[in-house]
Amino acid sequence: MTNLWRPDFAQTSGPLFERVLGALVGDIQKGILPPGTRLPPQRELALATGISLGTVTRAYAEAERRGLVHAHVGRGSYVADGGAPVLATSDGPIDLCHNIPPNGPARAEIRRLAQALSSQSAFAELLDYTPVFGLDAHRAAMADWLIQHAGMENAHARSAILSGGTQQAMALAHGAVARPGDVVLCENLTFYGMRALADFAGYRLYGVKMDEQGLCPEALDRAARKTEARVIYVLPTLQNPTARIMGASRRAAIVEVARRHDLWIIEDDVYGYFGKSHPGYVPLSVLAPERSFYLGGLSKILAPGLRVGFVVPPTGGRHNDLIARQLRATTYTANGLGAAVVAHAIRSGLADQIAENVLTEARERLMLAKEMLGAAVEISAVDSALHVWAPLSELAAERVAGRTLRHGVEVTPPGSANVGEGPSGLRLCLGGAQSRDQLRHALQIVADALGQGDERIASSIV
Ligand SMILES: Cc1ncc(COP(=O)(O)O)c(C=O)c1O
């Protein structure tokens, strides 16, 4: 009998392959496709949906690689019999995939603050276009936050240009110093959003070797010499995905190499708040303000939906015009409403209060991860982080990700951080689980998946 399963991806976005795969994985998770179900033949599905055969084949192959589907030559593809999927929440898998703050309770406070804001007379101003870099009062609040938490003593009221999250700040900074086709150096495992930006804007990412403190200065020196690149995108503090942190001398060495090769440094410090207790913490942008773009935002502390980030460009203001032109061409101005919420949270002390709570919760969650996963995850240099890194071979990472998903836990897709040849592993995000109990449950599933079969932890640092 012809199987009638069809991917329902009307509400999804992204490349078609990912949408088909997402629909397939989702339906397996929800039990709509129980173990043993025969999937429609690829050609039939392609014909029925108008999706190309190549896309369907790729989605099936990826599902098979993750252990969710078995293909039998001549008989077709079947949902793997990994036991009935355990749904951890009625909303779907437990989220160890997205780096979001564990601040459910704080959301009510942010909502109250937004409500209070809407009853103020100044609210009307927020409904107009703001100046392109944001309202002065909002920029000044952000500058104070940077002085207080990022050691940017020289920040002044107009240092920070407000952006739609750190992601837009990345686009603005790169757009100011790189052109399509240019090489951008980065760690050989990097934030997926940087890969997305490079892919879209046409930058050629060149992965640079890391060690236990992140980016290696000698490797950066070699890469800069070899590629003649002008730009490095770097995460010195709680690197994504590895959670590594540069010590003070490492930071000085990176700056020295950047100066020698006249590199623009694009420093993403979105996790700086969690790493600032490290004795070596000082932004590269403080060490080399003449060549650094300092980027960050409040997504990891308050709420990602506010879409508030910033870029502090190198001193001298020569990039402001290019940044302004990009803003005008994309969002026209900064997001006044989101910035107002953030500025009020900073001025009222609520941002500090929430940040402290998030830090404490992240500390507890990190402790739990260390306790439950032991040597499988790298030891972090600070006691509070939103993600941990489990070094694994590529194949092992894929298998573990597939096993956890079958049991209701979604981890970041392996391979999403790779830039060229380099280490592999799994990033586990600790903030997305709804509670510590749920996180414990999810980590147990990860621990079981790690312990099964032939998965051995690769050497801890590469
Ligand atoms: C390293 C890094 N940079 C930037 C971002 C994007 O953050 P935002 O929500 O501020 O755009 C993230 C989000 O996960 C991130 O991990």
Side-chain angles (χ1 to χ4, degrees), residues 45-396:
L45 188 61
L47 271 175
T49 55
I51 299 167
S52 79
L53 180 60
T55 301
V56 175
T57 304
R58 222 180 125 204
Y60 275 39
E62 180 61 25
E64 193 188 356
R65 221 157 74 92
R66 294 189 191 180
L68 298 167
V69 163
H70 287 313
H72 301 277
V73 180
R75 286 200 294 129
S77 299
Y78 293 79
V79 176
D81 190 7
V86 180
L87 260 191
T89 74
S90 55
D91 300 333
I94 301 176
D95 183 355
L96 301 194
C97 171
H98 297 102
N99 240 344
I100 50 179
N103 70 352
R107 299 202 168 194
E109 295 174 64
I110 298 169
R111 199 158 119 201
R112 270 197 294 281
L113 188 132
Q115 276 163 350
L117 203 63
S118 69
S119 61
Q120 288 179 5
S121 56
F123 184 71
E125 191 188 0
L126 302 175
L127 300 180
D128 286 330
Y129 291 115
T130 68
V132 66
F133 291 158
L135 285 168
D136 279 351
H138 300 165
R139 297 176 69 188
M142 193 62 89
D144 284 350
W145 177 266
L146 297 182
I147 293 167
Q148 197 187 338
H149 296 297
M152 302 205 84
E153 281 161 22
N154 294 330
H156 56 83
R158 289 182 157 194
S159 290
I161 294 172
L162 301 185
S163 63
T166 312
Q167 184 69 35
Q168 192 190 20
M170 288 160 55
L172 296 172
H174 282 89
V177 287
R179 294 285 161 270
D182 284 358
V183 172
V184 171
L185 304 174
C186 64
E187 291 111 342
N188 58 9
L189 288 167
T190 193
F191 168 46
Y192 175 73
M194 185 59 221
R195 285 187 49 192
L197 172 63
D199 198 31
F200 182 71
Y203 306 135
R204 289 183 291 141
L205 287 183
Y206 186 94
V208 180
K209 190 172 160 252
M210 284 190 280
D211 64 10
E212 72 283 359
Q213 286 194 51
L215 193 73
C216 294
E218 302 78 18
L220 177 61
D221 182 52
R222 279 194 300 276
R225 208 188 305 272
K226 182 167 172 194
T227 62
E228 297 184 350
R230 300 291 320 282
V231 185
I232 168 92
Y233 168 75
V234 60
L235 290 130
T237 304
L238 287 167
Q239 204 267 351
N240 188 355
T242 62
R244 296 172 191 173
I245 300 187
M246 290 185 189
S249 51
R250 171 61 56 92
R251 289 170 194 259
I254 295 290
V255 163
E256 193 274 317
V257 175
R259 285 198 170 120
R260 192 161 1 115
H261 290 281
D262 198 16
L263 292 173
W264 294 112
I265 298 172
I266 300 183
E267 177 179 27
D268 184 340
D269 202 26
V270 76
Y271 300 109
Y273 193 91
F274 299 87
K276 69 189 173 109
S277 62
H278 189 272
Y281 177 76
V282 54
L284 303 180
S285 307
V286 169
L287 301 177
E290 81 287 357
R291 63 184 55 256
S292 303
F293 292 80
Y294 184 68
L295 321 180
L298 274 295
S299 289
K300 310 300 176 186
I301 292 169
L302 295 182
L306 293 168
R307 303 313 300 135
V308 176
F310 57 81
V311 47
V312 179
T315 42
R318 61 184 273 205
H319 300 96
N320 286 12
D321 185 47
L322 266 177
I323 292 176
R325 283 172 59 194
Q326 292 181 78
L327 278 164
R328 282 198 202 98
T330 51
T331 55
Y332 197 61
T333 71
N335 162 14
L337 268 176
V341 173
V342 168
H344 276 70
I346 292 172
R347 292 293 184 220
S348 65
L350 182 66
D352 274 325
Q353 189 191 314
I354 293 176
E356 267 315 299
N357 291 341
V358 167
L359 206 61
T360 305
E361 181 62 25
R363 193 173 295 132
E364 294 294 330
R365 289 181 180 221
L366 182 61
M367 230 148 62
L368 196 60
K370 284 185 195 160
E371 191 185 302
M372 299 191 64
L373 302 177
V377 289
E378 285 188 8
I379 298 165
S380 67
V382 283
D383 65 357
S384 189
L386 290 183
H387 60 281
V388 289
W389 177 246
L392 288 167
S393 73
E394 244 173 84
L395 183 61

Side-chain angles (χ1 to χ4, degrees), residues 403-458:
R403 282 182 198 139
T404 62
L405 191 57
R406 278 203 298 283
H407 290 86
V409 175
E410 188 173 14
V411 300
T412 310
S416 55
N418 292 59
V419 181
E421 292 293 307
S424 55
L426 272 189
R427 182 188 73 166
L428 305 169
C429 299
L430 308 175
Q434 301 296 307
S435 65
R436 255 180 258 163
D437 274 350
Q438 197 188 61
L439 180 64
R440 183 186 298 279
H441 173 72
L443 290 174
Q444 188 57 56
I445 288 169
V446 174
D448 291 346
L450 282 164
Q452 272 176 35
D454 54 358
E455 271 59 87
R456 291 279 173 272
I457 310 306

